[in-house]
Amino acid sequence: MIALALTTMGATLTVAQQGGAGSHAASPRPKGPCDIYAAADAPCVAAHSTTRALYAGYNGPLYQVLRQSDGKTLDIGVVQPVALQVPDAGGYADAAAQDKFCANTYCWITTIYDQSPKHNDLTQAPRGGFNGPAMGGFNNLPIADMAPVTVMGHKVYGVFIEPGMGLRQDDAKGTAVDDQAEGQYWVINGLHFNNGCCFDYGNAEIDSRDDDNGTMETAYYGNATPWYHGSGSGPWIMTDQENNLVGCVNTDVSKGCPDLPSIDWRFVTAMAKGEPHHWTSMGGDARKGALSVMFDGPRVNATYDPMRKQGAILLGNGGDNSNSSQGTFYEGAMTAAGTFPTDATDQLVQTNIVTAGYSVASLSLAPAPATGIATPPGLQTFTPGSSQDATVTFTNTARAPATGIKLSIAVPSKQWRSFVTGTHETSKTFAEPVAPGASVSATFKVTSGPAPFNGDLVGNASWTNPAS
């Protein structure tokens, strides 16, 4: 039997799996993308992820969260291998530690630690050519539980960037400068984007300002059209080379890039790499298949050749701190100055990402929508003794059918009530198996106690996997 719980903001998902008796050795930690790059003589000088370790041997913190209620911080580390009936190799983020620390309050991501030996940590982006909305013109920090997903079959959190948010390291070590070669990749939510400038990850200006053409080279994702853009309505996988989102090279920017496809994958892998007189971008579905070459060719024009990169690292905004973009980041890395990974190496990294098994969270809870109106998950407010409808949805993200699914809502106290709408039942059980990728939902009428309430409700799901 497997049990799951999730708040409306994704803050308390827990998974418990019971196995039989017996002695089982823990599986070895799998290799990560940076192990692959190192074996190809292109070592990582930046390795950022809130979802998993990017090296088999990394055991340090992945990111830090700041708690609103008391201002305390907690480093979120890597789950270690465990010997179970089904051995767990670990290597993914300890989301349970975040859930416990952040229960009943908000947390923000203050730092994404660099797993490479260079310690190029990402922290709150300072003001630059554009001011952010936070004190001193800094950018806002991401809310820690806005992007729950699963990796390796376990719940983790991505970095949910809204306009005005961003992280940065303006004093990076080991990154490419001027026209030195470099490679970089990231894994992102392909369905979360906009046309604002600019949802980027990679090499940028050290002063957070626009220092003219060729002073940055990052991966970009979105559907902005003032510069180069692809076919359809987007989004597109491109690079940001300052004053130009580049998806191809032609003599008339207004004609765009007719061979650059719009992307509709839920999880996207994108590569951006450059060397003297030449750059390449690649992209693929992070859950299956190989990468495709989006562009491979010369620099745009003489103002980008040679490049004048400065070597800072940014996430979620533009080189000059333009911060009107949005997107969700899961992992990314940059290779050492002077290295240009081969396409074959990048394909091995893609295979590693696919094997990690990114997937959507199995359970969601949201206010029941009015007819024809989609309602996003979020905090729910109750006046004393009031009632609201809430819908719990379970999606089978496993490869086998789930049977005996039982959905319910855990209310905050004994003075509350939660019944399946139109009944006096506190849970709903589904007799038919739910196939892989399919979903089931139940709507509950929730009645509050005698005190006002503004917070998360908790949804629960339990089921059986007949195969195990």
Side-chain angles (χ1 to χ4, degrees), residues 69-92:
S69 58
D70 58 7
K72 292 184 178 180
T73 60
L74 178 70
D75 285 342
I76 305 300
V78 178
V79 173
Q80 297 300 306
V82 178
L84 297 171
Q85 184 178 13
V86 180
D88 181 355
Y92 50 89

Side-chain angles (χ1 to χ4, degrees), residues 4-7 10-15 96 99 148-150 155 157 361-363:
L4 245 133
L6 177 68
T7 71
T12 59
L13 173 61
T14 59
V15 178
D99 291 341
V149 293
T150 62
K155 177 201 171 186
Y157 291 108
S362 300
L363 193 64

Side-chain angles (χ1 to χ4, degrees), residues 29-40 44 53-58 352:
R29 282 264 297 277
K31 289 184 178 180
C34 287
D35 297 311
I36 295 170
Y37 281 128
C44 292
L54 302 182
Y55 297 85
Y58 183 77
N352 181 275

Side-chain angles (χ1 to χ4, degrees), residues 201-293:
Y201 172 73
N203 192 317
E205 295 95 330
I206 58 175
D207 59 359
S208 300
R209 285 172 169 78
D210 180 350
D211 291 328
D212 212 351
N213 297 355
T215 52
M216 63 181 291
E217 186 166 39
T218 71
Y220 163 82
Y221 190 76
N223 64 340
T225 58
W227 303 278
Y228 286 93
H229 56 276
S231 61
S233 58
W236 305 289
I237 293 169
M238 298 194 287
T239 70
D240 188 343
Q241 298 180 16
E242 192 53 275
N243 300 321
N244 211 343
L245 297 180
V246 187
C248 66
V249 173
N250 61 43
T251 57
D252 185 354
V253 175
S254 65
K255 293 180 180 179
C257 305
D259 296 328
L260 186 66
S262 292
I263 303 300
D264 61 0
W265 306 311
R266 171 58 177 83
F267 294 92
V268 172
T269 305
M271 308 277 182
K273 53 188 181 180
E275 61 182 346
H277 318 302
H278 175 232
W279 65 278
T280 302
S281 60
M282 304 172 72
D285 186 335
R287 292 197 280 190
K288 63 181 180 181
L291 299 171
S292 297
V293 175

Side-chain angles (χ1 to χ4, degrees), residues 52-359:
R52 64 173 182 144
L54 302 182
Y55 297 85
Y58 183 77
N59 290 299
L62 298 180
Y63 62 103
Q64 183 185 87
V65 294
L66 168 68
R67 189 163 61 190
Q68 181 193 46
S69 58
D70 58 7
K72 292 184 178 180
T73 60
L74 178 70
D75 285 342
I76 305 300
V78 178
V79 173
Q80 297 300 306
V82 178
L84 297 171
Q85 184 178 13
V86 180
D88 181 355
Y92 50 89
D94 189 0
Q98 175 182 318
D99 291 341
K100 181 178 179 181
F101 182 75
C102 301
N104 302 314
T105 187
Y106 284 111
C107 279
W108 292 275
I109 296 173
T110 63
T111 305
I112 303 176
Y113 292 106
D114 177 16
Q115 301 173 33
S116 87
K118 299 298 184 181
H119 303 292
N120 289 319
D121 304 336
L122 297 175
T123 57
Q124 188 173 17
R127 68 179 180 180
F130 289 81
N131 286 348
M135 184 177 295
F138 278 62
N139 287 0
N140 287 335
L141 291 170
I143 299 173
D145 64 355
M146 288 289 285
V149 293
T150 62
V151 69
M152 306 178 196
H154 299 270
K155 177 201 171 186
V156 293
Y157 291 108
V159 184
F160 188 96
I161 299 291
E162 295 178 340
M165 293 179 177
L167 300 167
R168 198 168 182 122
Q169 172 55 259
D170 279 342
D171 187 24
K173 308 295 190 299
T175 51
V177 296
D178 295 324
D179 208 27
Q180 290 179 311
E182 66 173 350
Q184 52 206 346
Y185 88 91
W186 63 346
V187 179
I188 53 178
N189 181 347
L191 305 182
H192 184 204
F193 61 91
N194 69 0
N195 61 4
C197 184
C198 294
F199 186 56
D200 293 342
Y201 172 73
N203 192 317
E205 295 95 330
I206 58 175
D207 59 359
S208 300
R209 285 172 169 78
D210 180 350
D211 291 328
D212 212 351
N213 297 355
T215 52
M216 63 181 291
E217 186 166 39
T218 71
Y220 163 82
Y221 190 76
N223 64 340
T225 58
W227 303 278
Y228 286 93
H229 56 276
S231 61
S233 58
W236 305 289
I237 293 169
M238 298 194 287
T239 70
D240 188 343
Q241 298 180 16
E242 192 53 275
N243 300 321
N244 211 343
L245 297 180
V246 187
C248 66
V249 173
N250 61 43
T251 57
D252 185 354
V253 175
S254 65
K255 293 180 180 179
C257 305
D259 296 328
L260 186 66
S262 292
I263 303 300
D264 61 0
W265 306 311
R266 171 58 177 83
F267 294 92
V268 172
T269 305
M271 308 277 182
K273 53 188 181 180
E275 61 182 346
H277 318 302
H278 175 232
W279 65 278
T280 302
S281 60
M282 304 172 72
D285 186 335
R287 292 197 280 190
K288 63 181 180 181
L291 299 171
S292 297
V293 175
M294 299 292 167
F295 179 81
D296 182 72
R299 295 293 182 182
V300 177
N301 56 44
T303 66
Y304 294 89
D305 193 1
M307 294 287 281
R308 295 175 290 125
K309 293 174 287 197
Q310 296 186 14
I313 306 172
L314 57 74
L315 170 61
N317 50 20
D320 57 0
N321 198 46
S322 50
N323 50 26
S324 59
S325 60
Q326 65 183 30
T328 299
F329 170 89
Y330 303 113
E331 64 176 78
M334 301 171 63
T335 65
T339 62
F340 187 84
T342 65
D343 288 1
T345 298
D346 289 333
Q347 295 290 3
L348 291 175
V349 171
Q350 164 70 353
T351 299
N352 181 275
I353 292 165
V354 170
T355 301
Y358 277 97
S359 189

Side-chain angles (χ1 to χ4, degrees), residues 6-9 363-367 376-378 380 390-393 408-409 457-460:
L6 177 68
T7 71
T8 57
M9 296 295 285
L363 193 64
S364 65
L365 191 159
Q380 292 182 251
T391 299
V392 180
T393 300
S408 63
I409 291 179
L457 296 177
V458 178
N460 296 297

